[in-house]
Amino acid sequence: MQIQPCGPLRGEITVPGDKSISHRAVMLGALANGTTHITGFLMGEDCLSTIDCFRKMGVEINITDDEVIVEGVGLHGLEAPSEALYTGNSGTTTRLLCGILAGQPFTVTMSGDPSIQKRPMGRVMKPLREMGASIEGKNDNFCPLTLFPSELHGIEYRLPVASAQLKSAILLAGLYAEGQTTVIEPAPSRDHTERMFRALGVEIETSGSTITLDPPEDLHAVDIAVPGDISSAAFFLVAGAIIPGSELTIKNVGVNPTRTGVLDVLRDMGADITESNFRDEAEPVCDLTVKYSKLHGVEIGGAIIPRLIDELPVIAVAAAFAEGETVIRDAQELKVKESNRIAAMVTELTKAGVDVEETDDGMIVHGGAKPHGASFETYKDHRIAMSLAVLGLAAEGASRIDKPEVVAISYPDFFNTLERLGD
Ligand code: S3P
């Protein structure tokens, strides 16, 4: 696909539903008593993988024009699937399902695409085994994973990485455990699981970095409105901030504080982003308006990293257009995402003439010289593809992007929205 540099981005857009919340809405809706109506659901490939897995376990899920309707089977109502579950490209589906499947009275195998087969699962297997789960994985760390029936008991577990997927897997297994389950986070990661648990009547307490869950009798279905995904909005926030003359409003974006690191960093870099129409529902939501401004380099590291982990590739693009040096550190987790996102961004930014160095836990971008267009590789990674598209829009001269269709994982309409804004 060709990407041409574009003029100012102006107008109003919406972005698709939050991926993390969409996954959880299907999972908890399936385990609840009663019917869950989900609006704003992300019809991306990852979330469709979650739907497919639950359908294979006997859950009726209907997709209409404006809703996903999940007929909950209750905590103990899942059925043994007749074949292995396929989780596609989705780390969230795979890891969160581990927690749920650990508590089931049947044996189940799960695997996904080549990228999923390279992603570490040992981090989830270890605490689940401490809870009594019986799990096997390739080389004790990778998919395919097989989970056997077992009795679970609560544990207190200090997470070695700030990972919401890991935290959620343990809490989901905690639904089936004897006694309390406690996780202690090294830094706050997205808390959508905890919020949704509370909405469904589960007793879960957060005190500082400690989260404790009491196993419930059952979950009560509630309707769920999924806000727009700030991780998808981030591509337009950066595009609006670096393309001269832009003024763009993104409506109905989820601004859960565990996800808004990208707003903090872009503002630190000098971006003009304002919030309006704030509503505090089960998840906080608002409209975001970004205006072009001159950016400057910043240091990004420490506890903010889990709050912007998925946005770092596009933040690296912002850094390329910012005056001065941007240092990204403490971001080793980027190496085990859908692709090695540090290596991918350093290689592709270099192709665009950006002066960037790879480090052990991030990168250093020396910004300011305008990047030029290039022929970019996406590494079959949706967020790399969209980050490079933003780079191409703001660069000098045309760019090419291989396999643009990979954006369907989280944002099927991404290129259509871009095209509409360019009109
Ligand atoms: C997610 C958590 C994050 C994030 C991923 C979605 C979730 O992963 O990168 O895109 O929905 O819990 P980790 O928890 O592994 O950091």
Side-chain angles (χ1 to χ4, degrees):
M1 172 184 273
Q2 278 262 346
I3 304 274
Q4 297 290 349
C6 72
L9 299 178
R10 302 184 78 88
E12 253 181 36
I13 59 166
T14 55
V15 287
D18 187 278
K19 183 153 80 67
S20 295
I21 299 173
S22 295
H23 283 298
R24 288 159 172 80
V26 169
M27 292 181 180
L28 296 192
L31 301 180
N33 292 341
T35 302
T36 298
H37 294 259
I38 309 169
T39 49
F41 185 83
L42 169 61
M43 290 293 172
E45 287 173 7
D46 269 9
C47 298
L48 294 174
S49 292
T50 293
I51 288 185
D52 184 55
C53 290
F54 280 88
R55 282 181 171 155
K56 285 196 174 124
M57 291 189 286
V59 181
E60 188 185 328
I61 302 173
N62 294 304
I63 301 176
T64 70
D65 281 349
D66 46 13
E67 282 186 347
V68 170
I69 304 160
V70 184
E71 302 296 346
V73 293
L75 263 183
H76 302 285
L78 294 178
E79 292 168 9
S82 58
E83 54 183 312
L85 299 178
Y86 182 73
T87 60
N89 191 244
S90 177
T92 307
T93 311
T94 312
R95 296 207 177 101
L96 269 59
L97 259 180
C98 276
I100 294 173
L101 297 177
Q104 301 307 316
F106 49 77
T107 299
V108 54
T109 295
M110 178 167 57
S111 196
D113 72 2
S115 153
I116 264 302
Q117 291 175 41
K118 284 196 226 129
R119 298 183 65 185
M121 296 296 151
R123 57 176 62 185
V124 181
M125 295 165 74
K126 182 170 184 283
L128 293 180
R129 280 178 179 154
E130 282 183 27
M131 295 176 83
S134 173
I135 312 183
E136 284 175 4
K138 191 172 165 198
N139 297 334
D140 219 25
N141 193 20
F142 300 102
C143 283
L145 300 170
T146 301
L147 295 100
F148 304 92
S150 38
E151 298 289 315
L152 303 185
H153 53 81
I155 54 168
E156 181 176 303
Y157 195 74
R158 199 172 274 279
L159 303 181
V161 279
S163 159
Q165 293 180 353
L166 174 55
K167 168 177 68 174
S168 300
I170 299 168
L171 293 173
L172 285 161
L175 294 175
Y176 294 96
E178 177 83 36
Q180 285 188 334
T181 295
T182 297
V183 289
I184 304 161
E185 297 194 276
S189 68
R190 64 194 70 193
D191 66 354
H192 307 301
T193 305
E194 297 92 302
R195 284 174 185 253
M196 210 177 281
F197 270 155
R198 281 188 197 106
L200 272 70
V202 178
E203 260 184 61
I204 181 160
E205 249 177 58
T206 301
S207 162
S209 54
T210 301
I211 303 148
T212 300
L213 170 129
D214 272 283
E217 290 284 303
D218 43 35
L219 313 183
H220 309 291
V222 291
D223 290 345
I224 297 171
V226 181
D229 197 328
I230 191 165
S231 298
S232 297
F235 301 108
F236 292 99
L237 291 173
V238 170
I242 63 177
I243 297 172
S246 296
E247 179 168 351
L248 188 61
T249 296
I250 312 162
K251 312 246 333 159
N252 193 42
V253 181
V255 283
N256 178 318
T258 60
R259 296 285 298 281
T260 49
V262 62
L263 301 181
D264 299 350
V265 161
L266 289 176
R267 283 174 175 146
D268 264 9
M269 295 176 90
D272 178 348
I273 301 175
T274 48
E275 297 173 27
S276 58
N277 199 14
F278 183 85
R279 287 150 286 149
D280 202 0
E281 296 164 3
E283 292 277 350
V285 178
C286 76
D287 300 342
L288 296 172
T289 299
V290 58
K291 290 187 197 159
Y292 167 78
S293 34
K294 284 207 180 327
L295 303 185
H296 53 80
V298 289
E299 300 222 346
I300 308 167
I304 199 170
I305 293 294
R307 296 180 50 237
L308 46 61
I309 189 74
D310 290 340
E311 293 68 71
L312 281 169
V314 78
I315 288 173
V317 172
F321 287 84
E323 204 57 53
E325 188 175 279
T326 293
V327 182
I328 300 175
R329 60 168 73 94
D330 304 319
Q332 303 86 333
E333 276 294 296
L334 281 187
K335 296 182 182 172
V336 290
K337 293 294 177 188
E338 286 82 329
S339 68
N340 177 340
R341 288 180 171 164
I342 296 178
M345 286 311 294
V346 168
T347 306
E348 301 311 303
L349 285 170
T350 304
K351 282 186 194 165
V354 179
D355 180 3
V356 51
E357 295 162 52
E358 181 170 347
T359 61
D360 269 356
D361 61 351
M363 65 184 88
I364 303 172
V365 184
H366 306 274
K370 193 169 182 181
H372 54 73
S375 191
F376 294 124
E377 193 185 326
T378 61
Y379 305 82
K380 295 190 188 150
D381 182 329
H382 54 132
R383 298 202 199 282
I384 299 295
M386 292 184 273
S387 301
L388 295 173
V390 171
L391 173 60
L393 289 179
E396 193 79 52
S399 298
R400 279 194 69 77
I401 289 191
D402 80 319
K403 305 210 172 51
E405 63 279 2
V406 71
V407 304
I409 292 291
S410 64
Y411 198 160
D413 249 6
F414 176 74
F415 288 108
N416 294 337
T417 304
L418 266 190
E419 211 174 344
R420 193 167 59 73
L421 276 176
D423 286 346

